[in-house]
Amino acid sequence: MTYEELDEFFIETLKKILAETKDCKEYVKDLHTPEYDEINKDYDDSIALLEKLLAGTKTLDDLAETDEDTITRVYDFIASYADNLLISPDPKQRKIDMKEYDKLEELMSMFLDTEDDYDEDFEEDEE
């Protein structure tokens, strides 16, 4: 994917995660035990962060300008979304689902420093 396509996919993914988080919140909103109160608070915090990000973030570079905790939380949101992505047994739909999963992996790789990247940066600094 090009950087523009990756940015577009990033925003689409955040929107999907927000929608799923709101659905989950709606499902448990009336449950009030200490555990569910904590779960509801976590959902509220996640929804607030995702809405704030979607209002002011258009690219991965915009996200990079935020703090490390925000970047980590966004990575965790995407990783969790990828882990829970349903892959259809239907061959046609499976192909579509696997393409989306591949895109999610590519998106997640943008968050990770690989040793190769570190080595290249180190070599450039030495020159």
Side-chain angles (χ1 to χ4, degrees), residues 10 57 59-68 71:
F10 168 62
T57 305
T59 67
L60 285 164
D61 287 339
D62 294 340
L63 178 65
E65 298 296 322
T66 65
D67 62 280
E68 190 174 326
I71 294 169

Side-chain angles (χ1 to χ4, degrees), residues 6-118:
L6 203 53
D7 287 337
E8 204 172 294
F9 183 72
F10 168 62
I11 298 301
E12 288 173 21
T13 301
L14 288 183
K15 288 177 181 177
K16 289 177 186 178
I17 293 168
L18 176 59
E20 283 188 9
T21 305
K22 284 181 174 181
D23 286 347
C24 291
K25 165 71 178 171
E26 183 65 27
Y27 186 74
V28 299
K29 73 177 182 181
D30 295 327
L31 302 174
H32 296 288
T33 65
E35 294 84 13
Y36 276 106
D37 288 344
E38 188 174 326
I39 289 168
N40 276 301
K41 183 181 178 332
D42 287 344
Y43 282 140
D44 289 339
D45 292 346
S46 295
I47 289 167
L49 176 61
L50 287 164
E51 286 177 339
K52 179 182 172 188
L53 284 170
L54 285 166
T57 305
K58 302 299 176 213
T59 67
L60 285 164
D61 287 339
D62 294 340
L63 178 65
E65 298 296 322
T66 65
D67 62 280
E68 190 174 326
D69 288 340
T70 299
I71 294 169
T72 300
R73 285 192 65 197
V74 170
Y75 175 83
D76 291 343
F77 289 148
I78 296 168
S80 178
Y81 179 78
D83 287 344
N84 293 298
L85 185 68
L86 296 177
I87 307 296
S88 176
D90 175 65
K92 272 186 172 177
Q93 185 61 43
R94 179 180 175 80
K95 191 174 186 176
I96 294 167
D97 295 342
M98 290 306 295
K99 281 184 181 181
E100 180 167 0
Y101 185 79
D102 290 343
K103 288 180 181 179
L104 288 167
E105 281 189 325
E106 185 174 347
L107 178 59
M108 288 186 298
S109 75
M110 298 299 291
F111 287 79
L112 305 174
D113 283 336
T114 63
E115 196 169 308
D116 291 340
D117 290 342
Y118 175 78

